[in-house]
Amino acid sequence: MTSPNHLEIGGQRVTTYFTYLQANCSMGETEFVAIRFNRTFHERFCDILVCDENVTEHGLRFRPIPGNTIFWYNTDEYGQVDDLTFHAGRPPGENGTKIGLNVWTRVDKLRSSTIK
């Protein structure tokens, strides 16, 4: 996220770790909407990725598997936001639940005096 308030309290996110702590759902993927599924490359990862018949209509989708962590860089080598990291946490489906944990590293130290 690049909103001015977030940039004021620690700067741009550099990396993200997202861990699924609990998942009792049939859906609830984390989808990287700008990265298209490539059967040649991604099909070997179907144990952690969604590889259904609609796979080419969506971005790369990680299954919500408890204990699994997704890691990515939010910026490129020049410190610019990498648009390929735009992602969405999909709803877990009817009567489903999922709980996750985000850990972000930022450009600067978080200053508690700036949190409002």
Side-chain angles (χ1 to χ4, degrees):
M1 176 166 276
T2 59
S3 72
N5 187 42
H6 286 88
L7 295 178
E8 290 172 8
I9 58 170
Q12 173 62 46
R13 291 181 192 166
V14 177
T15 62
T16 298
Y17 296 86
F18 178 75
T19 301
Y20 295 102
L21 299 177
Q22 180 182 0
N24 181 14
C25 53
S26 59
M27 299 163 60
E29 305 88 3
T30 298
E31 180 179 356
F32 287 80
V33 296
I35 302 174
R36 290 291 169 223
F37 187 90
N38 178 318
R39 285 201 188 275
T40 303
F41 181 73
H42 295 122
E43 199 163 51
R44 67 184 118 173
F45 300 108
C46 288
D47 56 332
I48 61 171
L49 297 176
V50 174
C51 299
D52 60 15
E53 63 278 354
N54 300 319
V55 72
T56 57
E57 298 172 18
H58 299 278
L60 197 62
R61 295 176 288 160
F62 285 84
R63 297 177 185 276
I65 301 170
N68 278 9
T69 298
I70 306 168
F71 168 83
W72 65 91
Y73 286 92
N74 295 343
T75 59
D76 63 19
E77 62 270 21
Y78 304 105
Q80 300 300 309
V81 173
D82 184 347
D83 293 333
L84 291 176
T85 65
F86 181 73
H87 61 284
R90 298 298 180 206
E94 189 173 333
N95 299 320
T97 60
K98 69 175 179 175
I99 299 172
L101 172 70
N102 281 302
V103 176
W104 299 297
T105 61
R106 294 188 178 266
V107 171
D108 300 314
K109 289 183 181 180
L110 181 65
R111 297 177 300 278
S112 60
S113 63
T114 60
I115 299 174
K116 297 178 177 139

